[in-house]
Amino acid sequence: MRALLNLLFVLSGSVLLGQPNFGEATISELQSSTLRVSGKTNVTDFSCFFDPAYFEPQKKIAYCNQGDLILLRNAKLELNLAGFNCGGKAINKDFRAMLQAEQYPVIILNFKQFNRVERGYEALVNIALAGQQHTYTIPVEIVAGDLKHLKGILKLNISDYNLELPKKLFGLIKIKDVIAIEFDIAGVLNAEFLE
């Protein structure tokens, strides 16, 4: 019995030692960030800008450096659909209806990890939209200064989320399937895990 307990102790210790060690960081002044969703119709382009006042003033995240890989926890941006302005009441209403805002009022961008690559970084981002989730790998740029900036453009196909695209003028104006989420997440970071 004692040998079995010793074996369990050794095994549990090796499992615990194999777990990554996460540090904590705080990002403040997130209201300096910008985010835009843009797309095209068969007639024109459209852009919906996110009001930075809807960003949390500061966010705590956890990170773990593992060579060229940086694992993240709690690195989520919650985008309340009420914070988007597409330039007019009618298009705002159509945008929110397309994204099913009444049932799913928030889009979540969850940054899972950064990978150092030859030309900078790639981010693994999980997007929760209209009750569905998909994960994307996108190139990102990190710019240092008084504020640290994480910039990128995520192109996604909205039909992947089973969304019904609005049509106007009896179907003459149609939105194209691909939209882009362009972000510049800016803030003061109290840890130097992104160089």
Side-chain angles (χ1 to χ4, degrees), residues 99-171:
L99 298 179
Q100 303 173 13
E102 288 209 14
Q103 190 173 0
Y104 306 102
V106 175
I107 298 172
I108 298 173
L109 305 178
N110 187 2
F111 291 85
K112 304 298 256 177
Q113 67 185 39
F114 294 115
N115 190 21
R116 288 183 185 93
V117 293
E118 191 173 308
R119 63 195 178 286
Y121 288 92
E122 287 182 339
L124 185 69
V125 185
N126 181 273
I127 307 293
L129 169 67
Q132 305 223 3
Q133 295 185 38
H134 294 282
T135 301
Y136 305 88
T137 300
I138 59 167
V140 293
E141 177 185 7
I142 296 168
V143 180
D146 290 341
L147 298 176
K148 191 160 270 195
H149 294 260
L150 174 67
K151 298 179 179 188
I153 299 174
L154 169 63
K155 292 186 179 180
L156 57 92
N157 191 322
I158 53 180
S159 63
D160 290 346
Y161 293 87
N162 298 323
L163 298 174
E164 188 175 320
L165 302 174
K167 297 175 184 171
K168 293 295 177 188
L169 294 175
F170 307 105

Side-chain angles (χ1 to χ4, degrees), residues 35 37 50 76-81 84 95 99 104-110 126-130 156 161 179 181:
L35 188 135
V37 174
F50 189 71
K76 295 179 185 178
L77 286 178
E78 295 188 7
L79 308 174
N80 186 323
L81 290 171
F84 281 96
F95 180 74
L99 298 179
Y104 306 102
V106 175
I107 298 172
I108 298 173
L109 305 178
N110 187 2
N126 181 273
I127 307 293
L129 169 67
L156 57 92
Y161 293 87
I179 61 171
I181 300 174

